[in-house]
Amino acid sequence: MLDSSDFAAIWLTLRLATVVTLLLLVFGTPLAWWLARTHSRLRHAVGAVVALPLVLPPTVIGFYLLLAMGPNGPLGQLTTALGLGTLSFTFTGLVIGSVFYSLPFVVQPLQNAFEAVGTRPLEVAATLRASPWDTFWSVVVPLARPGFVTGAILGFAHTIGEFGVVLMIGGNIPDKTRVVSTQIYDHVEAMEYAQAHWLAGGMLVFSFVVLLVLYTLYPQSVRGTRR
């Protein structure tokens, strides 16, 4: 029912989602903290940029990222000058595109969690002479744990289900850029509906279980991502 190419696509998809989720937690956490705490006039503009993937078609994001990573794009010229070649149609390119497209699914739950912490715990920590670094890791992170869990799970699940961005940036290269969503597309084109059913059904069950767990354990965090 599933052949070696299907399992290769599943493995590549899981690998992509894991790398993207880790990167989003690393880079999304300071961004979410800044959005939650700043009074800068740029806050709304930055927040709008972060939320763009929620309203833009994936192909639009993929198209402009493809231009940027191409041989004539700024990122493509930089990587070429560094001897790395262009990133389009590579796994690294998939990671970059997926980070951009899944950004709001990690940043927004974290931002909501940081805002819910409030200023009182930070003031108490300051009176105890805790440094900002210690305050963040000892006070903020434990209190914002639901946001971290929600962001990580949503970012992972959203990356697994993406199609438009990965197709535009990575194409459909076996064992290199072919993920589950593009593998399903290939099966449908070849009228191999049994294999498509197995992969699509697996993604349907996975998505339902993820949302069920989140709505059960952290309903407030999930609702916050739809503001």
Side-chain angles (χ1 to χ4, degrees):
M1 288 170 284
L2 295 179
D3 56 24
S4 60
S5 63
D6 295 322
F7 288 110
I10 292 172
W11 165 246
L12 184 65
T13 303
L14 294 175
R15 181 182 162 208
L16 174 65
T18 300
V19 173
V20 168
T21 302
L22 292 176
L23 289 175
L24 284 172
L25 288 174
V26 170
F27 296 107
T29 297
L31 176 58
W33 179 250
W34 182 82
L35 287 171
R37 302 288 299 170
T38 187
H39 297 289
S40 171
R41 294 181 179 179
L42 296 176
R43 178 190 179 190
H44 297 298
V46 174
V49 172
V50 170
L52 271 178
L54 296 175
V55 296
L56 275 179
T59 50
V60 173
I61 299 175
F63 172 70
Y64 284 111
L65 287 176
L66 181 63
L67 292 180
M69 290 188 291
N72 297 321
L75 184 56
Q77 292 179 350
L78 175 62
T79 55
T80 301
L82 295 175
L84 302 175
T86 57
L87 300 179
S88 52
F89 307 108
T90 66
F91 180 79
T92 303
L94 286 186
V95 170
I96 294 174
S98 298
V99 164
F100 274 99
Y101 192 63
S102 295
L103 186 65
F105 292 87
V106 175
V107 171
Q108 288 188 354
L110 287 175
Q111 180 184 349
N112 295 333
F114 290 151
E115 290 174 348
V117 170
T119 59
R120 180 61 179 169
L122 306 182
E123 294 171 352
V124 172
T127 61
L128 298 175
R129 298 183 179 179
S131 66
W133 183 259
D134 289 335
T135 299
F136 181 79
W137 287 106
S138 301
V139 178
V140 176
V141 170
L143 292 176
R145 181 172 175 268
F148 280 96
V149 175
T150 301
I153 294 178
L154 285 179
F156 187 88
H158 188 256
T159 302
I160 284 181
E162 175 47 30
F163 175 75
V165 169
V166 298
L167 186 62
M168 291 288 291
I169 297 176
N172 193 8
I173 305 173
D175 299 323
K176 291 186 178 181
T177 61
R178 179 182 291 171
V179 294
V180 170
S181 56
T182 53
Q183 182 75 353
I184 293 173
Y185 180 79
D186 286 345
H187 282 316
V188 173
E189 274 201 323
M191 301 186 69
E192 298 169 348
Y193 293 136
Q195 292 93 327
H197 271 305
W198 276 99
L199 288 176
M203 292 188 69
L204 177 62
V205 172
F206 171 79
S207 301
F208 174 77
V209 171
V210 166
L211 292 177
L212 180 62
V213 170
L214 286 179
Y215 271 100
T216 301
L217 298 180
Y218 305 108
Q220 295 298 329
S221 297
V222 178
R223 284 197 290 268
T225 62
R226 301 179 296 170
R227 291 191 313 172

